Amino acid sequence: MNSVVNVNLPGREYEILIGPGILAEAGPRIAQMGGRRHVAIITDETVAGLHMAALQDSLRASELSSEFLALPAGEATKSWPELQRSVEWLLDQKVERGDVVVAFGGGVIGDLAGFAAAILRRGVRFVQIPTTLLAQVDSSVGGKTGINAPHGKNLIGAFHQPSLVLADTSLLDTLAPRDYLAGYGEVVKYGLLGDAGFFDWLEQKAPGMANNMDACVHAVRRSCQMKAEIVNRDEKEQGDRALLNLGHTFCHAFEAATGYSDRLLHGEGVAIGCAMAFELSARLGLCSQEDPSRVRAHLRDMGMKVDLADIEGELPDAAALLTLMGQDKKVVDGKLRFVLARGIGEAFITSDVPRDAVLGLLDDALLQRR
Ligand code: GLY
């Protein structure tokens, strides 16, 4: 059942191992990588409580000692103070250029620990052991690392590829259903942006996926394959990699409008954003009206948030949401870049979207809330 996906960046090739129980590979795999027989692990308090013993057992069985730093769980940890704390802790651990740092957690820990590894001694190797669906299919792969600024999310960071990714799908059993579904927002994104056959498959299999390990492994593998293919073509997001931002320009505005709070999780915003990107594509005559309807129907089948009406509490008006979209770091020369679609699995990047079309779409979506 276990699978391997390769990222083939010249000189920085690495494997993504996927499957139930892959965590047990951590010891043998990290031991093969050389460096001191001591591993520094950055994690969060929740993951440490649930899974640290299993990771440390695997390391110990390969004669590797380890220590861990457990940071508070949650987005607020992607900050300067926690970065400073992490880097100084790694220095206390005497991590050297040849050593390996482990990022053990969801997207917050992967991004923060990866960035700490990128800047420590001008760059040390790190291993991603993602523990959430979102991190397994998206954030642990491709080398985007960083923290948030008061000005917006992920505005401070570096590209730093991991040396290995271990995606243990059995760890997903401990996720709260809402977190699992939020991660699914990134899975469905892959079908929508570039593989209509995968979207068909998800329509059939994804509703029972949380209790079907084979289906879960397939979904994580296909998502990682698609991400690896795109990162191989365009590591630094000069072109195609921006396709991975399908739904994200909308999502980032909604996250900012809800104060990055648990009113809206990132993956929930991605799902709503994907539905809106398809709706905008249909309004611009790029795809048929059936496509956004199909996207929405599938998200509803999954029990996910689909529309702005599904976000509780106040939201700003359409003009203010559009301004928040302008804060997105995908703005080029002041023009918003959108990922739109000519059909399911046929996304493309464009800066040529009339402002009024976006305003009209947001206005209509906000009206449904009344
Ligand atoms: N999460 C989008 C990317 O890695 O490019």
Side-chain angles (χ1 to χ4, degrees), residues 91-145:
L91 290 170
D92 289 343
Q93 292 291 306
K94 304 195 174 16
V95 173
E96 296 170 6
R97 284 294 285 277
D99 292 345
V100 176
V101 170
V102 171
F104 189 35
V108 166
I109 290 298
D111 286 6
L112 175 94
F115 189 34
I119 58 177
L120 187 80
R121 300 188 190 279
R122 299 199 177 86
V124 299
R125 295 176 299 169
F126 81 115
V127 173
Q128 287 271 21
I129 309 186
T131 56
T132 63
L133 184 57
L134 186 139
Q136 293 192 353
V137 299
D138 187 52
S139 60
S140 69
V141 176
K144 279 190 180 174
T145 71

Tab-separated table of all heavy atoms in Angstrom, residues 91-145:
chain	number	residue	atom	x	y	z
A	91	LEU	N	20.502	26.082	17.889
A	91	LEU	CA	21.910	26.384	18.196
A	91	LEU	C	22.301	25.754	19.538
A	91	LEU	O	23.386	25.192	19.678
A	91	LEU	CB	22.145	27.894	18.202
A	91	LEU	CG	22.067	28.551	16.810
A	91	LEU	CD1	22.075	30.069	16.936
A	91	LEU	CD2	23.205	28.088	15.905
A	92	ASP	N	21.383	25.820	20.522
A	92	ASP	CA	21.639	25.149	21.812
A	92	ASP	C	21.866	23.650	21.606
A	92	ASP	O	22.637	23.017	22.332
A	92	ASP	CB	20.450	25.308	22.774
A	92	ASP	CG	20.303	26.737	23.291
A	92	ASP	OD1	21.275	27.503	23.177
A	92	ASP	OD2	19.200	27.067	23.778
A	93	GLN	N	21.122	23.104	20.633
A	93	GLN	CA	21.268	21.662	20.343
A	93	GLN	C	22.548	21.364	19.567
A	93	GLN	O	22.802	20.237	19.193
A	93	GLN	CB	20.066	21.181	19.505
A	93	GLN	CG	18.745	21.181	20.245
A	93	GLN	CD	18.711	20.122	21.316
A	93	GLN	OE1	18.952	18.950	21.054
A	93	GLN	NE2	18.446	20.538	22.544
A	94	LYS	N	23.290	22.417	19.257
A	94	LYS	CA	24.565	22.302	18.525
A	94	LYS	C	24.389	21.698	17.138
A	94	LYS	O	25.206	20.898	16.662
A	94	LYS	CB	25.594	21.512	19.340
A	94	LYS	CG	25.840	22.118	20.728
A	94	LYS	CD	27.075	21.569	21.360
A	94	LYS	CE	27.475	22.221	22.675
A	94	LYS	NZ	26.513	23.033	23.389
A	95	VAL	N	23.281	22.046	16.506
A	95	VAL	CA	23.046	21.551	15.133
A	95	VAL	C	24.098	22.164	14.219
A	95	VAL	O	24.302	23.378	14.216
A	95	VAL	CB	21.616	21.919	14.653
A	95	VAL	CG1	21.439	21.551	13.183
A	95	VAL	CG2	20.576	21.222	15.511
A	96	GLU	N	24.771	21.291	13.456
A	96	GLU	CA	25.838	21.739	12.559
A	96	GLU	C	25.373	21.637	11.114
A	96	GLU	O	24.330	21.058	10.827
A	96	GLU	CB	27.077	20.849	12.766
A	96	GLU	CG	27.659	20.978	14.152
A	96	GLU	CD	28.729	19.928	14.415
A	96	GLU	OE1	29.092	19.190	13.478
A	96	GLU	OE2	29.176	19.858	15.582
A	97	ARG	N	26.230	22.136	10.190
A	97	ARG	CA	25.856	22.149	8.771
A	97	ARG	C	25.475	20.766	8.237
A	97	ARG	O	24.594	20.638	7.404
A	97	ARG	CB	27.007	22.702	7.917
A	97	ARG	CG	27.187	24.179	7.977
A	97	ARG	CD	26.019	24.949	7.385
A	97	ARG	NE	25.962	24.945	5.935
A	97	ARG	CZ	26.640	25.767	5.141
A	97	ARG	NH1	27.429	26.656	5.671
A	97	ARG	NH2	26.520	25.695	3.842
A	98	GLY	N	26.127	19.698	8.741
A	98	GLY	CA	25.856	18.358	8.199
A	98	GLY	C	24.673	17.659	8.858
A	98	GLY	O	24.327	16.535	8.487
A	99	ASP	N	24.059	18.291	9.853
A	99	ASP	CA	23.010	17.618	10.629
A	99	ASP	C	21.637	17.767	9.978
A	99	ASP	O	21.466	18.470	8.988
A	99	ASP	CB	22.970	18.184	12.053
A	99	ASP	CG	24.225	17.819	12.840
A	99	ASP	OD1	24.958	16.930	12.391
A	99	ASP	OD2	24.461	18.448	13.883
A	100	VAL	N	20.667	17.116	10.627
A	100	VAL	CA	19.314	17.079	10.079
A	100	VAL	C	18.337	17.577	11.143
A	100	VAL	O	18.375	17.121	12.287
A	100	VAL	CB	18.937	15.627	9.688
A	100	VAL	CG1	17.499	15.561	9.208
A	100	VAL	CG2	19.876	15.098	8.618
A	101	VAL	N	17.499	18.515	10.754
A	101	VAL	CA	16.422	19.001	11.628
A	101	VAL	C	15.130	18.330	11.163
A	101	VAL	O	14.925	18.159	9.961
A	101	VAL	CB	16.303	20.542	11.503
A	101	VAL	CG1	15.051	21.066	12.205
A	101	VAL	CG2	17.560	21.223	12.045
A	102	VAL	N	14.274	17.947	12.099
A	102	VAL	CA	12.993	17.339	11.728
A	102	VAL	C	11.858	18.305	12.056
A	102	VAL	O	11.788	18.844	13.168
A	102	VAL	CB	12.787	15.996	12.473
A	102	VAL	CG1	11.367	15.479	12.270
A	102	VAL	CG2	13.794	14.963	11.984
A	103	ALA	N	10.981	18.526	11.063
A	103	ALA	CA	9.744	19.295	11.265
A	103	ALA	C	8.622	18.280	11.413
A	103	ALA	O	8.292	17.579	10.454
A	103	ALA	CB	9.484	20.196	10.057
A	104	PHE	N	8.044	18.191	12.607
A	104	PHE	CA	7.064	17.135	12.897
A	104	PHE	C	5.744	17.803	13.283
A	104	PHE	O	5.590	18.244	14.435
A	104	PHE	CB	7.614	16.282	14.049
A	104	PHE	CG	6.838	15.030	14.352
A	104	PHE	CD1	6.218	14.293	13.359
A	104	PHE	CD2	6.762	14.564	15.666
A	104	PHE	CE1	5.526	13.120	13.649
A	104	PHE	CE2	6.070	13.387	15.975
A	104	PHE	CZ	5.454	12.673	14.958
A	105	GLY	N	4.832	17.929	12.324
A	105	GLY	CA	3.559	18.584	12.628
A	105	GLY	C	2.817	18.953	11.358
A	105	GLY	O	3.082	18.410	10.283
A	106	GLY	N	1.920	19.907	11.496
A	106	GLY	CA	1.138	20.366	10.348
A	106	GLY	C	1.866	21.477	9.601
A	106	GLY	O	3.084	21.659	9.751
A	107	GLY	N	1.094	22.244	8.835
A	107	GLY	CA	1.699	23.262	7.981
A	107	GLY	C	2.435	24.343	8.759
A	107	GLY	O	3.476	24.835	8.307
A	108	VAL	N	1.935	24.705	9.924
A	108	VAL	CA	2.576	25.765	10.713
A	108	VAL	C	3.990	25.331	11.104
A	108	VAL	O	4.972	26.056	10.904
A	108	VAL	CB	1.725	26.088	11.964
A	108	VAL	CG1	2.505	26.909	12.973
A	108	VAL	CG2	0.430	26.789	11.553
A	109	ILE	N	4.102	24.124	11.634
A	109	ILE	CA	5.415	23.628	12.070
A	109	ILE	C	6.333	23.407	10.869
A	109	ILE	O	7.524	23.748	10.896
A	109	ILE	CB	5.238	22.326	12.902
A	109	ILE	CG1	4.588	22.665	14.252
A	109	ILE	CG2	6.562	21.585	13.086
A	109	ILE	CD1	5.394	23.591	15.144
A	110	GLY	N	5.809	22.838	9.786
A	110	GLY	CA	6.634	22.604	8.599
A	110	GLY	C	7.202	23.904	8.053
A	110	GLY	O	8.387	23.990	7.719
A	111	ASP	N	6.346	24.930	7.976
A	111	ASP	CA	6.800	26.220	7.429
A	111	ASP	C	7.827	26.882	8.351
A	111	ASP	O	8.843	27.409	7.903
A	111	ASP	CB	5.614	27.183	7.267
A	111	ASP	CG	4.723	26.818	6.094
A	111	ASP	OD1	4.953	25.761	5.469
A	111	ASP	OD2	3.795	27.600	5.792
A	112	LEU	N	7.535	26.861	9.658
A	112	LEU	CA	8.420	27.537	10.617
A	112	LEU	C	9.745	26.792	10.766
A	112	LEU	O	10.831	27.398	10.682
A	112	LEU	CB	7.727	27.637	11.984
A	112	LEU	CG	8.620	28.219	13.067
A	112	LEU	CD1	8.400	29.715	13.194
A	112	LEU	CD2	8.379	27.574	14.409
A	113	ALA	N	9.684	25.480	10.971
A	113	ALA	CA	10.919	24.707	11.174
A	113	ALA	C	11.738	24.684	9.880
A	113	ALA	O	12.975	24.711	9.913
A	113	ALA	CB	10.583	23.285	11.625
A	114	GLY	N	11.059	24.642	8.737
A	114	GLY	CA	11.769	24.673	7.456
A	114	GLY	C	12.500	25.996	7.276
A	114	GLY	O	13.642	26.030	6.798
A	115	PHE	N	11.859	27.075	7.691
A	115	PHE	CA	12.505	28.390	7.582
A	115	PHE	C	13.680	28.484	8.559
A	115	PHE	O	14.752	29.000	8.220
A	115	PHE	CB	11.476	29.492	7.844
A	115	PHE	CG	11.965	30.888	7.546
A	115	PHE	CD1	12.851	31.152	6.506
A	115	PHE	CD2	11.523	31.963	8.304
A	115	PHE	CE1	13.293	32.445	6.228
A	115	PHE	CE2	11.950	33.258	8.040
A	115	PHE	CZ	12.841	33.496	7.005
A	116	ALA	N	13.474	27.956	9.777
A	116	ALA	CA	14.586	27.942	10.748
A	116	ALA	C	15.765	27.163	10.156
A	116	ALA	O	16.925	27.598	10.239
A	116	ALA	CB	14.120	27.311	12.069
A	117	ALA	N	15.488	26.017	9.509
A	117	ALA	CA	16.563	25.220	8.892
A	117	ALA	C	17.206	25.989	7.733
A	117	ALA	O	18.408	25.885	7.499
A	117	ALA	CB	16.015	23.878	8.399
A	118	ALA	N	16.409	26.779	7.021
A	118	ALA	CA	16.933	27.530	5.864
A	118	ALA	C	17.943	28.590	6.300
A	118	ALA	O	18.904	28.861	5.571
A	118	ALA	CB	15.784	28.190	5.103
A	119	ILE	N	17.721	29.185	7.467
A	119	ILE	CA	18.586	30.314	7.854
A	119	ILE	C	19.650	29.914	8.879
A	119	ILE	O	20.597	30.655	9.096
A	119	ILE	CB	17.755	31.525	8.369
A	119	ILE	CG1	16.887	31.149	9.563
A	119	ILE	CG2	16.910	32.099	7.242
A	119	ILE	CD1	16.107	32.329	10.157
A	120	LEU	N	19.493	28.750	9.512
A	120	LEU	CA	20.473	28.324	10.507
A	120	LEU	C	21.791	27.987	9.806
A	120	LEU	O	21.812	27.153	8.897
A	120	LEU	CB	19.951	27.080	11.231
A	120	LEU	CG	20.815	26.647	12.401
A	120	LEU	CD1	20.518	27.491	13.628
A	120	LEU	CD2	20.597	25.176	12.711
A	121	ARG	N	22.857	28.637	10.215
A	121	ARG	CA	24.177	28.408	9.605
A	121	ARG	C	24.095	28.467	8.074
A	121	ARG	O	24.690	27.669	7.381
A	121	ARG	CB	24.764	27.068	10.050
A	121	ARG	CG	24.944	26.969	11.556
A	121	ARG	CD	25.696	25.705	11.930
A	121	ARG	NE	25.684	25.464	13.357
A	121	ARG	CZ	26.506	26.068	14.222
A	121	ARG	NH1	27.383	26.934	13.813
A	121	ARG	NH2	26.430	25.785	15.506
A	122	ARG	N	23.283	29.345	7.558
A	122	ARG	CA	23.033	29.543	6.113
A	122	ARG	C	22.445	28.301	5.444
A	122	ARG	O	22.596	28.098	4.240
A	122	ARG	CB	24.297	29.985	5.382
A	122	ARG	CG	24.850	31.290	5.887
A	122	ARG	CD	25.788	31.945	4.905
A	122	ARG	NE	26.229	33.216	5.433
A	122	ARG	CZ	27.273	33.347	6.249
A	122	ARG	NH1	27.987	32.301	6.593
A	122	ARG	NH2	27.597	34.533	6.695
A	123	GLY	N	21.790	27.462	6.238
A	123	GLY	CA	21.062	26.356	5.633
A	123	GLY	C	21.534	24.988	6.085
A	123	GLY	O	22.662	24.596	5.820
A	124	VAL	N	20.646	24.286	6.799
A	124	VAL	CA	20.908	22.883	7.145
A	124	VAL	C	19.778	22.037	6.567
A	124	VAL	O	18.702	22.551	6.239
A	124	VAL	CB	21.010	22.668	8.683
A	124	VAL	CG1	22.142	23.484	9.273
A	124	VAL	CG2	19.687	22.984	9.387
A	125	ARG	N	20.033	20.741	6.444
A	125	ARG	CA	19.012	19.858	5.855
A	125	ARG	C	17.853	19.675	6.849
A	125	ARG	O	18.042	19.734	8.058
A	125	ARG	CB	19.626	18.499	5.523
A	125	ARG	CG	20.678	18.591	4.440
A	125	ARG	CD	21.323	17.239	4.216
A	125	ARG	NE	21.988	16.769	5.417
A	125	ARG	CZ	22.457	15.534	5.585
A	125	ARG	NH1	22.326	14.649	4.630
A	125	ARG	NH2	23.055	15.185	6.710
A	126	PHE	N	16.681	19.423	6.289
A	126	PHE	CA	15.564	19.107	7.181
A	126	PHE	C	14.648	18.066	6.556
A	126	PHE	O	14.606	17.896	5.332
A	126	PHE	CB	14.808	20.362	7.635
A	126	PHE	CG	13.806	20.930	6.666
A	126	PHE	CD1	12.444	20.939	6.963
A	126	PHE	CD2	14.216	21.483	5.458
A	126	PHE	CE1	11.518	21.482	6.086
A	126	PHE	CE2	13.299	22.024	4.572
A	126	PHE	CZ	11.952	22.027	4.883
A	127	VAL	N	13.975	17.345	7.449
A	127	VAL	CA	13.037	16.295	7.048
A	127	VAL	C	11.648	16.744	7.462
A	127	VAL	O	11.445	17.181	8.604
A	127	VAL	CB	13.403	14.951	7.743
A	127	VAL	CG1	12.337	13.894	7.482
A	127	VAL	CG2	14.767	14.480	7.263
A	128	GLN	N	10.711	16.656	6.530
A	128	GLN	CA	9.318	16.985	6.855
A	128	GLN	C	8.592	15.693	7.248
A	128	GLN	O	8.582	14.722	6.475
A	128	GLN	CB	8.614	17.560	5.615
A	128	GLN	CG	9.025	18.961	5.226
A	128	GLN	CD	8.158	20.026	5.922
A	128	GLN	OE1	7.519	19.777	6.946
A	128	GLN	NE2	8.155	21.211	5.353
A	129	ILE	N	7.987	15.696	8.428
A	129	ILE	CA	7.089	14.587	8.804
A	129	ILE	C	5.717	15.218	9.073
A	129	ILE	O	5.388	15.592	10.200
A	129	ILE	CB	7.606	13.793	10.023
A	129	ILE	CG1	9.077	13.376	9.799
A	129	ILE	CG2	6.734	12.557	10.253
A	129	ILE	CD1	9.661	12.466	10.868
A	130	PRO	N	4.928	15.393	8.001
A	130	PRO	CA	3.652	16.096	8.130
A	130	PRO	C	2.594	15.227	8.802
A	130	PRO	O	2.480	14.043	8.502
A	130	PRO	CB	3.276	16.388	6.670
A	130	PRO	CG	3.971	15.334	5.858
A	130	PRO	CD	5.229	14.995	6.605
A	131	THR	N	1.834	15.822	9.694
A	131	THR	CA	0.858	15.054	10.470
A	131	THR	C	-0.587	15.431	10.156
A	131	THR	O	-1.502	14.887	10.756
A	131	THR	CB	1.100	15.271	11.981
A	131	THR	OG1	1.038	16.679	12.243
A	131	THR	CG2	2.456	14.741	12.410
A	132	THR	N	-0.787	16.398	9.262
A	132	THR	CA	-2.158	16.747	8.871
A	132	THR	C	-2.334	16.468	7.378
A	132	THR	O	-1.356	16.417	6.625
A	132	THR	CB	-2.470	18.241	9.109
A	132	THR	OG1	-1.599	19.017	8.271
A	132	THR	CG2	-2.294	18.637	10.551
A	133	LEU	N	-3.586	16.338	6.953
A	133	LEU	CA	-3.840	16.086	5.530
A	133	LEU	C	-3.337	17.262	4.703
A	133	LEU	O	-2.706	17.083	3.656
A	133	LEU	CB	-5.347	15.862	5.310
A	133	LEU	CG	-5.765	15.503	3.888
A	133	LEU	CD1	-5.042	14.251	3.381
A	133	LEU	CD2	-7.288	15.295	3.818
A	134	LEU	N	-3.585	18.475	5.184
A	134	LEU	CA	-3.143	19.662	4.449
A	134	LEU	C	-1.625	19.647	4.258
A	134	LEU	O	-1.114	19.893	3.159
A	134	LEU	CB	-3.585	20.929	5.183
A	134	LEU	CG	-3.311	22.232	4.441
A	134	LEU	CD1	-4.479	23.191	4.592
A	134	LEU	CD2	-2.042	22.894	4.941
A	135	ALA	N	-0.905	19.316	5.303
A	135	ALA	CA	0.563	19.314	5.199
A	135	ALA	C	1.038	18.152	4.329
A	135	ALA	O	2.010	18.292	3.581
A	135	ALA	CB	1.185	19.238	6.592
A	136	GLN	N	0.357	17.000	4.396
A	136	GLN	CA	0.810	15.849	3.607
A	136	GLN	C	0.629	16.084	2.116
A	136	GLN	O	1.424	15.599	1.307
A	136	GLN	CB	0.073	14.577	4.044
A	136	GLN	CG	0.454	14.174	5.463
A	136	GLN	CD	-0.002	12.792	5.866
A	136	GLN	OE1	-0.732	12.114	5.147
A	136	GLN	NE2	0.410	12.372	7.054
A	137	VAL	N	-0.424	16.801	1.724
A	137	VAL	CA	-0.677	16.965	0.282
A	137	VAL	C	-0.140	18.273	-0.257
A	137	VAL	O	-0.102	18.459	-1.472
A	137	VAL	CB	-2.183	16.861	-0.066
A	137	VAL	CG1	-2.725	15.505	0.317
A	137	VAL	CG2	-3.000	17.977	0.562
A	138	ASP	N	0.227	19.202	0.609
A	138	ASP	CA	0.615	20.498	0.060
A	138	ASP	C	1.851	21.090	0.732
A	138	ASP	O	2.918	21.144	0.144
A	138	ASP	CB	-0.572	21.481	0.147
A	138	ASP	CG	-0.279	22.785	-0.567
A	138	ASP	OD1	0.126	22.738	-1.744
A	138	ASP	OD2	-0.426	23.855	0.045
A	139	SER	N	1.724	21.514	1.993
A	139	SER	CA	2.768	22.403	2.520
A	139	SER	C	4.101	21.717	2.792
A	139	SER	O	5.135	22.382	2.811
A	139	SER	CB	2.265	23.119	3.784
A	139	SER	OG	1.918	22.192	4.773
A	140	SER	N	4.113	20.388	2.971
A	140	SER	CA	5.410	19.738	3.273
A	140	SER	C	6.234	19.510	2.010
A	140	SER	O	7.409	19.163	2.091
A	140	SER	CB	5.176	18.403	3.988
A	140	SER	OG	4.589	17.470	3.098
A	141	VAL	N	5.609	19.664	0.845
A	141	VAL	CA	6.270	19.362	-0.427
A	141	VAL	C	6.551	20.659	-1.168
A	141	VAL	O	5.678	21.536	-1.244
A	141	VAL	CB	5.346	18.470	-1.297
A	141	VAL	CG1	5.962	18.226	-2.671
A	141	VAL	CG2	5.067	17.160	-0.587
A	142	GLY	N	7.749	20.813	-1.692
A	142	GLY	CA	7.989	21.940	-2.602
A	142	GLY	C	8.834	23.052	-2.042
A	142	GLY	O	9.191	23.969	-2.773
A	143	GLY	N	9.156	23.009	-0.722
A	143	GLY	CA	10.186	23.890	-0.195
A	143	GLY	C	9.772	25.309	0.134
A	143	GLY	O	10.630	26.151	0.374
A	144	LYS	N	8.458	25.604	0.164
A	144	LYS	CA	8.082	26.944	0.638
A	144	LYS	C	8.133	26.928	2.158
A	144	LYS	O	7.464	26.108	2.796
A	144	LYS	CB	6.665	27.312	0.177
A	144	LYS	CG	6.613	27.804	-1.251
A	144	LYS	CD	5.244	28.385	-1.552
A	144	LYS	CE	5.180	28.890	-2.977
A	144	LYS	NZ	3.815	29.322	-3.347
A	145	THR	N	8.919	27.830	2.742
A	145	THR	CA	9.015	27.893	4.199
A	145	THR	C	8.835	29.349	4.616
A	145	THR	O	9.085	30.256	3.810
A	145	THR	CB	10.393	27.414	4.705
A	145	THR	OG1	11.385	28.391	4.359
A	145	THR	CG2	10.776	26.070	4.125
